[in-house]
Structures are given as C-alpha cells and as structure tokens.
Amino acid sequence: MKAEIIAVGTELLLGQIVNTNARYLSQGLAAIGIDVYFQTVVGDNSARIRQAIDIARSRADVLLFTGGLGPTMDDLTKDVLADYLGRKMTLHEPTMKVMEELFASRGSHMVESNRRQANWIEGSIPLENTAGLAVGNALEQDGTRYVLLPGPPKEMMPMFEGPASRWLLSELGAGAPLHSRILRFAGIGESKLEHELIDLIEAQSDPTIAPYAKEGEVALRISSKSADEAAALAKIEDTAQQIRSRLGDYIYAEEDISLEEAVLRLLRSRRMRVSVAESCTGGLLAELITGVPGSSGEFLGGIVTYTNTMKNRLLGIPLEQLEGPGAPGAVSESTAALMARRVAETTGSDWGVSVTGVAGPGTTEGKPVGLVHLGIARKDGEADVFTINVGGNRDTVRIRAAKYALYQLWLKLKAL
Amino acid sequence: MKAEIIAVGTELLLGQIVNTNARYLSQGLAAIGIDVYFQTVVGDNSARIRQAIDIARSRADVLLFTGGLGPTMDDLTKDVLADYLGRKMTLHEPTMKVMEELFASRGSHMVESNRRQANWIEGSIPLENTAGLAVGNALEQDGTRYVLLPGPPKEMMPMFEGPASRWLLSELGAGAPLHSRILRFAGIGESKLEHELIDLIEAQSDPTIAPYAKEGEVALRISSKSADEAAALAKIEDTAQQIRSRLGDYIYAEEDISLEEAVLRLLRSRRMRVSVAESCTGGLLAELITGVPGSSGEFLGGIVTYTNTMKNRLLGIPLEQLEGPGAPGAVSESTAALMARRVAETTGSDWGVSVTGVAGPGTTEGKPVGLVHLGIARKDGEADVFTINVGGNRDTVRIRAAKYALYQLWLKLKAL
C-alpha cells in the first residue's frame, strides 16, 4: 500500500512555514504499515490542486491531504476534490450544530465563511476534529483512498491518530490486518535507543519495528500484518520482550499516553501530589503537566523564578547561595536541591521537582548552554539531584530538560 | 519564471527529518523573483527521481534539487539527471585536488566512493561548496534550468546564496524581484480578520494579500513583484495603510516577531517588568514569555496556582473569595483581578497579569469550557479585567487565553 502526502497551502510555497506535517504523517503512515513514495506541496489554486491529484492517483493508493479545510476563500481542498470526483458537497449537520452553539455561547455572529468548514463531500466518512471546527473527510473511489486533514498540526495530529488511522486500518484490513503495539520511552535519546537495538532493527521483517520520535520522548511501534491474530500478537510480544529486557527502565508506557500522563497516573495511584519550581524551563514543566485533563487532582502549583531575586523572594533561597564570590550560583546542584525542597514545603506537596540550567542562546554564570540540574525532593526529605547536558537550541533544551525531570520523577514513583 | 523544488532523500519520506530546505529555498527564490508552484519529495530511487524530473519539467522552468550529491550508493541525483539529459559524468579536477589534499592531510585513504562527490555533469557549471565536499551543478538544456544543491543545510545554504543565486539571476536577466511586508495581528481571529478585509482580499492582484494563521495570532503578507522597487513599495504601503485604518489596533508588529516578543520589547523600552499568575493556562503564559531569548530582563516570575488552596497560599487570595455559598469562585472577574494585583505585589513587578478560566474538557464551578477571565494590574493600582469565550479543545483554549492576555498587556503598554 503506497501513500502520497499532499500539503496544500501557498504559505508553504512562500516559505512562510515549514512542512512539519509531512514529516509527522510520514512517520505515522510508516507506523501503520503504509509506504510513502512521494510528498507534494501545492498552493491554494484549483487547477494545480487538480493536477496534483491526477499525478498522485497514478502513483499511489492513498492520497493524504493536509490544509485547505478552513473557512476562508483560500481553503479549496474539499471543493476541488469533490469536483474532481464528480461528487456534491453537503453540509455536515452535527458540525453545523456545534458551530452554531459555539457562536451562540460566545454571543457572536457566525459569518458565512464559517459554514464552509462544515462542508463535507457527499458519501464520505466525516473525521471528527477535536481541536477545531474544520471537519475532515475519508473516502474511497475507484480503488483510491482519499483522506483530508486540516493544516494546523494541533488539529491534524489528533485527527490522524484517531479517526483517520482507524479508517485507514479498517480499509487495509480487507487484506491482512495490521496488529501493533507501541512502547514509549523517556530518558533515552533516539540514536542511543537505535544503537541498543540495532541488531533487532536491522534484522526486522515480521514484526517491523518503527521508531517515532518527538522532543524528549521516543516511541517504537512493533507491527505485524497477519490474518492470524494470535500468531501476530505472539511475534510482537516476543520482540517487545527482547526490547524490555534491554531497555525496560526507559519504557514508561505500552499504550498511547504522554510521559506527563504516566506520571500523573502513578501519583494518583500513590495518592500523592506534586509541585514544581522552574528556572530555565520557564513554566514549560507546569504547562506539560497541566496539559493533561484532570491534572488538578495531583498537581498543586508551580513557581517560575526567572531571576535570583525571585528565587529568594518566592522560594526563600538565600541570596548568598545564588550570588557573590564562591556562591554555587543559580545554575548548580545545590540550588536545584533547595528549589525542589522549598517548593514542596511552600505548597505542602508530597513531591517537589525543580529545574535550573542554561537554555541559551548565551551562557549563564559562565556555564554552558545545555547544562541542566534537576532536583526531586520528597516532602520533609532530602532532594536527589541530577545533572544532564542536552544539545540543541533554546526550545530543545527546555523541552528535554522538562521531560527528563518528569522521567526521574516517574522512576521514583514506580519504585515506591 | 516558475520553479519546482525537488528534495531527494528516503529519510524525508520516512519522516526521519523535516524538509527545512524547501522552506529556505522557497523564501530565497521568492526574494529573487522566482515563483515556486510545487515542492516535491522523492526517495533515493532512480526510476522515481526520473519520474519527478519528467513531471517537474512539464510545469516549471527551473528545477532546484537538494540532496543526493554525497558519496554513498544512495546518492543518485547527479547520475540520474545526467542520464536523463543524455550527458556524461566527468570528474571535476579542482574538487578532486581539494579532496586528495584533505585526505592526505588527515593521513587517511580516500575510498572510491569519495570520488563520486567530485563527479560533475558534462557541460554544466560547477557550484562551489564552501562547507563540504560535494560539488553542485547548474545547467540549462532545452529551455529548462537545473540546479543541484547538496542536502545538508550547512552546505546547501551558502551554495544557494552564493553561486546558485548568481547563476539564476544571470540566467533570468532582470527578473522582477518580489517585495513584501508582513502585518502581524493579535486579538482577532482569522475569519473575522478576513471578513473585515474581504473587499481588499477579493480585489487583490498587485499587491497580493496572503493570510496565514497560527494559534492565537494571524499574519498577512502583502507582496508586489516589480523591477521598480519604489513603485512596488508605494503600492504595498497603500494597501497596508488601508488595512491599518480598519484594524490598526490589532496590528502588533510589521516585522517577523511573536506577540510575546513585541510585549517584551515594549516593556524594555518602558523600563518595566512583568509577572504572571496562572490558573487554567497552567504555566503556558510564563512559558511563552520565557521562550524569547533575553526575557529575564523583563520577566520576573510566574505563579501557577492550580487549586484554591494554592491560590490562597501562594497568592494570598482569601478562601471565602474562592469557595462557599455566594463566593465568586476561582473562575470569576474578581478573582482574576485579585490574582493580577497579588502577583505584581508579591514579585514587586510593574505589571501583574492573571488568567483564570475553564480549559476543559469538563466544566468548573458550573462554568462553561472556554470561559476565561484575565486581569491586568499596574503596580499599586487597580486591575482591569477582561472576559472572553474561546472555542476549541483544552490546548486551544489555553493558547488563545494566553495570547489574549499578552494582547491586552500589549495594548496597555502601547498606550503609555
């Protein structure tokens, strides 16, 4: 089964944005056993979109579109495809209802263009958008499958992972269904992980092992295509067991949850709560944790101290710890330990987690970009401190540091 | 003059890397007046590279390749194109000399595959690689121009900016360069913005107006292609002025910066500092601000209070304000005002910004998802409060709320 990814949007051709969707979908398709042979980018232009469809149909079985589902005049993908396939557009009533209620609740007026987002190609499967208004589409005609996803990654990703992947798998299932299991890793980089498993990866044929990286986390999807479900699952389990025996300490989940969700689940089961004190991550650690619905049961609060005065004022770190000749400084193991203990005390949490380091671009206190100290303190106890050197730019350092702090907390909770 | 960018590399189709080259080259080509109508990604496969050349020749005047110039067996671009055009490969002697000297100086032996990098399509113009070994190529045949650039951005960028751009400009003679200006908006959604400007957008031809949106922000690029720079800039300015007269209060910048960066610049020029108190955004507001390098000059700290106890303990909000019969509750205008004032006091900042609301998925205190109250307090002053209803899921509510808070702060700072 061969797929072509067609990203629609003049902003891509002008170089205003990077086509990160193509990368994400390439990985996602590989993970469910679909090969990508071409990626195409085309502008918001009917004739050229038609031309791209013509070419892609001749060389692929699945056409995955992103972009052009929104409300504006530039959003053409659905109209062009409907016209190309000789189908009509209809209004998707459930989406219209949601939109009408939404606008009514805001007390604002729905403009005509908003209705376009609820349009839908007749006879297709609507794909639910949990993060926006534009409904997606999936359909089959003359042996070619078409999947229409929105352009914004936050809307595209859940739609692909949820209804679009399910539809693709059910369409492919007519042949041999694909069985798969996901292993989710933290605390280990993609290259190290690959290095440790290189013999398994190189020898793979059935099951296949596909790595799937996002910042600070890696996942492996082990897949086997077979009509014999029990046999496929046994093969997958055998490979999973080999991986677990080598890298078990890094596997935080064998289902599709984030590291922060895994940490929150452990906290819930231990009836414990956490607070965080952040310097270089600047609120990212709190933001990751509170991104999980229901996190208010286990997350009490976060204190972002971006200056020494604030570390002193909000966390009670002595200034002589932070400044002056011979002081350890803000970026130090002892400051990380103090921050973790003090935030646990101040908030009355069972756990305090701290991050202090150098996110860059410049050095801090003469310390290099990427140097990060983490503290994990148990209520009324000492703090454990970890030091890492992470590569990359400011954003990368921040996300890796936050994920590593979550990983260390996860290890401690698991061991309880 | 129309160009197509063809990136060659199976790693792109597997999603192992993001095609940042396409973005860079699209911007670079626009800057020298060449339109990009398609971007294509193809794997390291002779037949499919040939197919991509066939298609691109039929719809573009310039084919720009990146990738596949290196020493390995997978690096096919030069060989396939030479074969396609019926030309021979020859060894580029100056490159060979450089390579021989390099290997000699390292005391290492040059393997046969290294020679491939010095190969060169007969009759083409070699493009110097100042950052690596693989020589680039430029040639014209039957009216189509071909430019071959290496895949690694560090080698590709100087080659494009130097010899490749020079060659293209000389081939095109006096092509008309593109002039453009960007207007960046906050506090207004993409559909409303388009609705307000629909007559301008529908009548556009020169200059063109292209909207592009990211969460909580919208941008418009106004572009005009002309050899007469002054005339083009005058047209652009005329359109910009019409947009400003309608929507000036929403335009936070006319250059490529984020809203948080615009806020930090205003704070810097006013010699003021800000702190934030967050409930539903859970650290996102602090994270956005601290994502800007150098933000520690203007951002003091953030307090994330995810429970009523924390709002009381860390911000000193009276519990009777938050809980009990008749209390306004955590999600209320008066709590937003108190949070903003208290965080400014606690941290000693000139400004305190607060966000409290319902990010979902469930309701809070019986209040609906998407209801958000913001407070903006000046040191020792009263707080102004804003209430918005934002659509979308948990992530969307959070990002829109955070951006709206930044927008309101920006308005206040601008008015000073």
Side-chain angles (χ1 to χ4, degrees), chain B residues 34-339:
Chain B
I34 299 177
D35 294 318
V36 177
Y37 279 6
F38 291 94
Q39 297 168 355
T40 297
V41 177
V42 57
D44 303 311
N45 175 287
S46 301
R48 290 194 284 274
I49 296 172
R50 282 188 81 95
Q51 200 187 327
I53 298 171
D54 252 341
I55 294 168
R57 275 190 62 203
S58 74
R59 61 190 186 186
D61 313 299
V62 178
L63 275 56
L64 235 98
F65 297 81
T66 63
L69 305 193
T72 77
M73 302 285 297
D74 278 352
D75 292 307
L76 299 169
T77 311
K78 259 186 292 200
D79 301 83
V80 173
L81 183 64
D83 186 55
Y84 183 93
L85 298 174
R87 296 196 184 205
K88 291 208 179 95
M89 295 290 272
T90 61
L91 211 55
H92 189 237
E93 290 301 338
T95 302
M96 269 308 285
K97 266 216 179 88
V98 171
M99 279 172 50
E100 275 160 8
E101 281 164 19
L102 184 80
F103 280 89
S105 76
R106 286 193 206 157
S108 69
H109 185 68
M110 185 158 76
V111 297
E112 189 50 37
S113 61
N114 287 114
R115 290 174 172 272
R116 289 171 53 85
Q117 298 183 82
N119 275 342
W120 183 39
I121 300 176
E122 212 171 60
S124 72
I125 316 282
L127 304 177
E128 195 198 358
N129 189 334
T130 55
L133 294 174
V135 63
N137 269 218
L139 71 141
E140 187 273 337
Q141 184 165 321
D142 304 329
T144 303
R145 275 93 178 175
Y146 302 85
V147 178
L148 280 72
L149 303 170
K154 281 195 177 168
E155 301 179 30
M156 184 276 292
M157 293 192 288
M159 193 183 289
F160 176 75
E161 286 174 26
S165 289
R166 277 197 301 275
W167 183 79
L168 283 167
L169 285 169
S170 74
E171 285 285 307
L172 307 181
L178 187 80
H179 307 277
S180 76
R181 153 170 271 163
I182 196 156
L183 303 183
R184 302 190 73 91
F185 297 80
I188 184 169
E190 188 181 8
S191 336
K192 175 149 188 241
L193 180 124
E194 202 167 288
H195 185 72
E196 298 288 332
L197 303 176
I198 190 74
D199 55 324
L200 295 178
I201 291 170
E202 286 188 343
Q204 66 172 314
S205 62
D206 179 26
T208 57
I209 305 171
Y212 61 108
K214 52 179 190 171
E215 283 302 340
E217 295 191 29
V218 194
L220 286 182
R221 188 177 291 269
I222 312 169
S223 309
S224 178
K225 208 181 266 188
S226 169
D228 182 347
E229 182 172 0
L233 293 180
K235 277 187 209 162
I236 290 171
E237 175 55 26
D238 180 60
T239 301
Q241 193 45 46
Q242 289 184 62
I243 297 172
R244 278 188 217 110
S245 70
R246 298 186 196 182
L247 299 171
D249 274 352
Y250 301 104
I251 301 174
Y252 74 80
E254 299 201 1
E255 61 186 306
D256 234 336
I257 61 170
S258 65
L259 177 58
E260 41 278 16
E261 195 158 348
V263 166
L264 285 164
R265 286 190 189 179
L266 279 181
L267 286 166
R268 205 164 300 146
S269 72
R270 313 291 193 252
R271 297 171 188 276
M272 290 179 145
R273 302 199 285 183
V274 69
S275 291
V276 302
E278 302 180 62
S279 184
C280 67
T281 45
L284 177 60
L285 181 53
E287 197 260 321
L288 285 174
I289 297 170
T290 60
V292 181
S295 47
S296 58
E298 288 71 40
F299 179 75
L300 288 180
I303 297 181
V304 182
T305 54
Y306 224 55
T307 63
N308 287 340
T309 315
M310 287 302 115
K311 287 182 185 72
N312 173 255
R313 213 194 256 231
L314 300 180
L315 289 169
I317 314 281
L319 278 176
E320 53 276 22
Q321 162 79 20
L322 302 167
E323 296 173 351
V331 180
S332 64
E333 296 204 337
S334 50
T335 296
L338 276 168
M339 286 171 69

Side-chain angles (χ1 to χ4, degrees), chain A residues 27-166:
Chain A
Q27 286 191 321
L29 289 164
I32 58 174
I34 300 177
D35 295 318
V36 176
Y37 279 6
F38 291 93
Q39 297 168 356
T40 297
V41 177
V42 58
D44 303 311
N45 175 288
S46 302
R48 290 194 283 274
I49 296 171
R50 282 188 81 95
Q51 200 187 328
I53 298 171
D54 252 341
I55 293 168
R57 275 189 62 203
S58 74
R59 61 191 186 186
D61 313 299
V62 178
L63 275 56
L64 233 98
F65 298 81
T66 62
L69 305 193
T72 78
M73 305 273 298
D74 279 353
D75 292 307
L76 299 169
T77 312
K78 259 187 290 201
D79 300 83
V80 173
L81 183 64
D83 187 55
Y84 183 94
L85 298 174
R87 296 197 184 206
K88 291 208 180 97
M89 294 291 274
T90 60
L91 210 56
H92 189 238
E93 290 300 337
T95 302
M96 269 308 287
K97 270 223 175 81
V98 170
M99 281 174 47
E100 276 160 7
E101 281 163 19
L102 183 80
F103 280 90
S105 77
R106 288 191 205 161
S108 68
H109 185 68
M110 183 158 77
V111 296
E112 188 51 35
S113 61
N114 287 112
R115 289 174 173 273
R116 290 172 52 84
Q117 299 184 82
N119 274 342
W120 183 40
I121 299 176
E122 213 171 60
S124 73
I125 315 282
L127 303 177
E128 196 198 357
N129 189 335
T130 54
L133 292 174
V135 62
N137 268 218
L139 70 140
E140 187 273 337
Q141 185 165 321
D142 304 329
T144 303
R145 274 91 177 177
Y146 302 85
V147 178
L148 279 73
L149 303 170
K154 282 199 173 168
E155 300 179 30
M156 183 277 291
M157 293 192 289
M159 193 184 288
F160 176 75
E161 285 175 25
S165 290
R166 277 197 301 275

Side-chain angles (χ1 to χ4, degrees), chain B residues 367-379:
Chain B
K367 289 154 189 165
V369 175
L371 174 69
V372 178
H373 304 290
L374 313 168
I376 314 260
R378 185 80 186 263
K379 192 183 197 168

